[in-house]
Amino acid sequence: IQTMGAEAIKAYGYIDILVNNAGCNVRKPALEVSWDDWNLVLDTNLRGTFFVAQAIARHMIPRGYGRIINIGSVTSVFGYAGLTPYTASRG
């Protein structure tokens, strides 16, 4: 993530807008979700979103300008069967 941010700044000089839109899901009944399934989804949807925003914000703040848009999901409001880790990560 840090390398991606530095390379983007190097290539373009600055970033005005970051759109965090990456996400993944593992569709299984809650009792079948493994530790690795849970971590895959949370690492991508929750940790990834936060740390990409953090890396880019470090460049936006000194410039006094920038926008970060985090794309969510209806599952951030309502849970759905078979989407346990995804729903938790979006909420």
Side-chain angles (χ1 to χ4, degrees), residues 24 37-48 85-86 88-89:
C24 70
D37 294 337
W38 182 269
N39 285 336
L40 170 68
V41 175
L42 274 284
D43 283 349
T44 303
N45 298 357
L46 185 58
R47 288 183 186 100
Y86 184 81
S89 73

Side-chain angles (χ1 to χ4, degrees), residues 15-19 56 60 64-69:
I15 296 174
D16 285 334
I17 301 171
L18 166 67
V19 178
I56 301 307
M60 291 176 168
Y65 184 81
R67 301 292 183 264
I68 297 175
I69 301 165

